Amino acid sequence: MTSIEVASRVETGSRDEAVCLDASREKDTGKAVFPRIPGTSPSADRFYPISLSPEAILYSHTTIHPNPKTGLKPFVLVYADFPEDVRVFGRLELADGEKPEIGSRLRVGSKGEGADPNAAYFFTVAKGGKS
């Protein structure tokens, strides 16, 4: 199972839905890990499942500039820290001209309206931006 396959949606009572990623917490140490440890793993009995919050804080970022011959635009990859003490790697989607800022509040999103929400997750800057 890849980290992209572990996003799930949670109803928030509005038109929008929050996306919460599935993770695991070790029973002995309390250390959380992402993605969730699969039930078929030999280590599965050492962990219990948890869901991460729909928002995180931008820890680190880098901008990737693909070769111009590909025709692809630059994109941003980030590490985001969740309140559950888990750091997650993912893509940050920004509006044109917007720049990532360390410490910004990020919201988890999932691509594919009406499609399987577990197909792909990404981050956006949450309203209010800075934490």
Side-chain angles (χ1 to χ4, degrees), residues 7 17 39 99:
E17 293 179 349
K99 303 251 186 247

Side-chain angles (χ1 to χ4, degrees), residues 37-60:
I37 303 296
T40 56
S41 169
S43 301
D45 60 335
R46 294 182 19 226
F47 294 87
Y48 60 90
I50 62 171
S51 290
L52 300 179
S53 302
E55 289 191 0
I57 302 296
L58 178 59
Y59 171 77
S60 176

Side-chain angles (χ1 to χ4, degrees), residues 1-125:
M1 176 180 346
T2 67
S3 58
I4 292 176
E5 296 172 321
V6 295
S8 61
R9 290 186 182 258
V10 175
E11 292 290 334
T12 61
S14 68
R15 264 192 64 193
D16 296 330
E17 293 179 349
V19 176
C20 296
L21 300 175
D22 294 331
S24 296
R25 187 171 302 282
E26 192 170 18
K27 294 175 183 175
D28 291 342
T29 66
K31 180 176 172 34
V33 295
F34 176 81
R36 181 173 283 173
I37 303 296
T40 56
S41 169
S43 301
D45 60 335
R46 294 182 19 226
F47 294 87
Y48 60 90
I50 62 171
S51 290
L52 300 179
S53 302
E55 289 191 0
I57 302 296
L58 178 59
Y59 171 77
S60 176
H61 65 85
T62 189
T63 302
I64 305 299
H65 296 274
N67 186 318
K69 293 179 183 178
T70 66
L72 299 174
K73 293 200 261 185
F75 58 93
V76 178
L77 298 176
V78 300
Y79 277 112
D81 286 342
F82 284 83
E84 295 80 11
D85 200 24
V86 177
R87 185 167 289 157
V88 175
F89 180 76
R91 190 171 182 147
L92 177 62
E93 293 192 357
L94 296 167
D96 287 340
E98 192 176 17
K99 303 251 186 247
E101 189 175 340
I102 302 295
S104 295
R105 288 183 322 122
L106 303 179
R107 189 156 183 81
V108 180
S110 179
K111 294 185 186 234
E113 185 69 31
D116 180 6
N118 295 319
Y121 71 91
F122 59 90
F123 296 102
T124 58
V125 177

